[in-house]
Amino acid sequence: MDTLAALGNGFLVALTPYNLLWSAIGVTVGTAVGVLPGIGPALTVALLLPVTYHLEPTSAFIMFAGIYYGAMYGGSTTSILLNAPGESGSIVTAIDGHAMARQGRGAQALATAAIGSFVAGTIATAALTFVAPLMVKLALLFGPAEYFALMILALTTVTAVLGNSLARGLGSLFLGLALGLVGIDMQTGQARLAFGVPELLDGIDTVVVAVGLFAVGETLYVASRYRFETEEIFALKGSKWMSREDWSRSWKPWLRGTLLGFPIGALPAGGSEIPTFLSYLVEKRLAKKPEEFGHGAIEAVAGPEAANNASAAGVLAPLLSLGLPTSATAAIMLAAFQQYGLQPGPTLFDSNPELVWGMIASLYVGNVLLLLLNLPLVGMWVKLLVIPRPWLYAGILVFSTLGAYTLNNNVVDLVILWGIGLVGFGMRVLNVPVAPCVVGLILGPLAEQQFRRALAISQGDPTVFVSHPISAVLLAVAVLLVVGPLLLRRRNRNAAAGGTDRPGTTSTV
């Protein structure tokens, strides 16, 4: 009952005309961002951080949540009509969605994607409503040692999961931790890594780093890979509505996709890619006509799109209740919380209930707005694809530069912005994940603070981190995430070597 009462108060916040306006702006921008290939929600939220600096926090996060959900909706449009996924979670949708578009059934593919996203988003948001308070009750048992262990787990999970190489992920993480050390040590008052620059004594602004990595670096990378070719967009033909058969083949995949998307999205190793691929495999296994998969099966659009949208709500559960980011966009939203001097976690539900529950309630409202935006107005979103890409990229870079300068009105921020942006461009070229860098910058100083606090309480006893059961388990999981893949890779290498060197085997030519 307490949860329903809190949600009711959240609706009172979200349904005010002012917050409704920001929700509508968020879902509209998010849909546009999802439609445009290469411009994801992480880049957009990072780009808007300087602009929303003086905005009321609740309204800002209602808009950010709308952008996140909207991008999940919009990503299916380019996947289906252009075969160019706007989001990583829409990669699977492109397989059969584009095949349907080539057959003249693009409207039906877009309809099942939009309705499936609405169904999954609503159910997953309801799950978030009840799961987040349960996670908060668990987090209230945490002391300094447990918080330090949780932050170490967050750092290692983002490092191990986001990217193909553990070494590259650790390199990105250590860069973020080093940036987090810049400034005055709050305990000793000593300047660290300031190099005599007065503007660095307050530390490097998280927003500047986030914009540099996700807006400047990402835009330079996408622009460098731009192909000056005419892209073929398949026009919508015939009926714009789903037939009775389309409905009967879509509703079960919508529900199954939701069941896969939310729990996997809430896991540290979750994200949107895993549940969408799993949904595709499940639907192919259960389909009455599996031979249609790859050639325009509507189930292969309905299931993955539902899983994609449900995973977005799943990502918000650990972010709000534990302060644990499990995706690149969640890492940027963590930076947004820090911009307002807020720390997501169990105390946020008590100190800022209007923000938390207003944001959760706005997800329900945003889902309805997105359904209205995506079904009747799909033709309008397609027209965004004719915007010249060089204009788009140049606009983002100019907007990023102006936004970063307005934060503190000093040139040092611009030097840091473009320096970090060029580093981010190099990281993308070398396939180094950028999210661990942002997470390291944000959580590094907090982890150091909790580490010192735990040692002070235990009078310098380092065993405090393993003598507490919760912190010991969290640290053990963190070690397994780093060491496990290395041991597994070594075991596979030894097995392969043993297979070729086994006595008694002969090679044939």
Side-chain angles (χ1 to χ4, degrees):
M1 292 300 293
D2 292 341
T3 300
L4 293 177
L7 181 63
N9 291 330
F11 273 110
L12 294 178
V13 173
L15 292 176
T16 59
Y18 185 69
N19 286 331
L20 267 178
L21 174 64
W22 286 111
S23 180
I25 292 172
V27 296
T28 305
V29 171
T31 303
V33 162
V35 168
L36 294 169
I39 314 297
L43 186 157
T44 308
V45 174
L47 195 63
L48 291 174
L49 286 180
V51 181
T52 58
Y53 190 73
H54 299 292
L55 190 64
E56 202 270 324
T58 302
S59 302
F61 279 97
I62 284 176
M63 182 179 67
F64 291 153
I67 291 172
Y68 190 23
Y69 263 33
M72 296 298 150
Y73 272 74
S76 62
T77 303
T78 43
S79 297
I80 292 168
L81 300 182
L82 198 62
N83 199 24
E87 265 295 298
S88 59
S90 299
I91 293 172
V92 180
T93 306
I95 300 172
D96 284 78
H98 191 61
M100 289 181 68
R102 289 199 305 269
Q103 298 165 10
R105 302 189 69 235
Q108 286 73 25
L110 289 168
T112 192
I115 298 171
S117 294
F118 170 76
V119 171
T122 304
I123 295 174
T125 304
L128 169 67
T129 304
F130 294 98
V131 168
L134 294 178
M135 297 176 76
V136 166
K137 289 181 180 178
L138 173 65
L140 288 173
L141 302 174
F142 287 13
E146 287 79 9
Y147 270 115
F148 171 74
L150 179 65
M151 290 174 188
I152 294 298
L153 176 62
L155 294 170
T156 52
T157 49
V158 172
T159 302
V161 171
L162 298 180
N164 299 322
S165 167
L166 180 61
R168 293 184 183 125
L170 287 172
S172 176
L173 173 65
F174 289 138
L175 173 62
L177 292 174
L179 293 173
L181 291 174
V182 175
I184 295 176
D185 181 359
M186 300 303 293
Q187 196 160 4
T188 63
Q190 295 293 317
R192 301 189 297 192
L193 302 178
F195 304 108
V197 180
E199 288 84 356
L200 293 181
L201 292 176
D202 289 332
I204 295 177
D205 199 311
T206 307
V207 176
V208 173
V209 176
V211 174
L213 287 175
F214 283 92
V216 176
E218 186 72 19
T219 302
L220 290 174
Y221 176 78
V222 174
S224 70
R225 297 296 189 270
Y226 176 67
R227 296 174 299 168
F228 291 89
E229 300 172 359
T230 303
E231 296 170 321
E232 183 182 4
I233 304 173
F234 284 85
L236 301 178
K237 303 175 184 177
S239 173
K240 301 287 191 294
W241 301 104
M242 294 167 61
S243 66
R244 186 187 295 264
E245 183 187 1
D246 291 334
W247 281 95
S248 65
R249 293 177 61 178
S250 295
W251 72 271
K252 289 181 181 178
W254 292 338
L255 298 179
R256 286 192 288 260
T258 305
L259 291 175
L260 286 171
F262 180 79
I264 295 177
L267 293 175
S272 60
E273 296 86 354
I274 297 174
T276 52
F277 275 99
L278 278 178
S279 175
Y280 184 87
L281 294 174
V282 168
E283 296 308 324
K284 188 174 183 180
R285 180 70 60 88
L286 298 176
K288 295 179 180 178
K289 301 176 182 177
E291 67 278 359
E292 289 187 8
F293 276 66
H295 304 285
I298 196 169
E299 298 94 334
V301 178
E305 273 303 303
N308 182 30
N309 219 277
S311 68
V315 164
L316 293 176
L319 176 66
L320 292 174
S321 56
L322 302 174
L324 189 69
T326 60
S327 72
T329 308
I332 296 298
M333 291 184 75
L334 189 62
F337 275 108
Q338 195 174 66
Q339 172 179 275
Y340 289 104
L342 302 171
Q343 176 59 37
T347 56
L348 187 67
F349 281 73
D350 291 329
S351 61
N352 286 278
E354 282 192 3
L355 189 154
V356 175
W357 290 106
M359 180 179 170
I360 292 175
S362 74
L363 297 177
Y364 291 97
V365 178
N367 261 316
V368 176
L369 293 176
L370 282 165
L371 188 65
L372 298 176
L373 278 173
N374 279 269
L375 274 181
L377 303 178
V378 66
M380 182 186 73
W381 300 118
V382 174
K383 291 179 182 177
L384 286 175
L385 297 173
V386 302
I387 297 175
R389 299 294 169 78
W391 294 10
L392 183 66
Y393 301 147
I396 291 173
L397 293 177
V398 171
F399 199 69
S400 302
T401 305
L402 292 175
Y405 182 75
T406 57
L407 286 174
N408 302 302
N409 296 322
N410 69 62
V411 180
V412 174
D413 280 347
L414 294 184
V415 175
I416 295 172
L417 173 76
W418 279 92
I420 293 291
L422 292 174
V423 170
F425 171 67
M427 291 168 71
R428 290 289 281 116
V429 171
L430 298 173
N431 199 24
V432 177
V434 293
C437 181
V438 177
V439 176
L441 172 65
I442 298 168
L443 292 186
L446 296 175
E448 179 189 11
Q449 182 182 15
Q450 298 294 345
F451 178 78
R452 286 177 164 181
R453 188 175 295 170
L455 288 179
I457 292 173
S458 65
Q459 298 181 346
D461 182 11
T463 61
V464 66
F465 300 106
V466 292
S467 60
H468 292 198
I470 296 177
S471 62
V473 170
L474 292 173
L475 289 173
V477 173
V479 171
L480 281 175
L481 281 170
V482 175
V483 178
L486 298 176
L487 294 177
L488 189 61
R489 196 176 299 121
R490 183 176 180 182
R491 178 185 173 187
N492 292 339
R493 194 183 301 121
N494 291 339
T500 55
D501 299 337
R502 209 178 328 159
T505 58
T506 58
S507 62
T508 59
V509 180

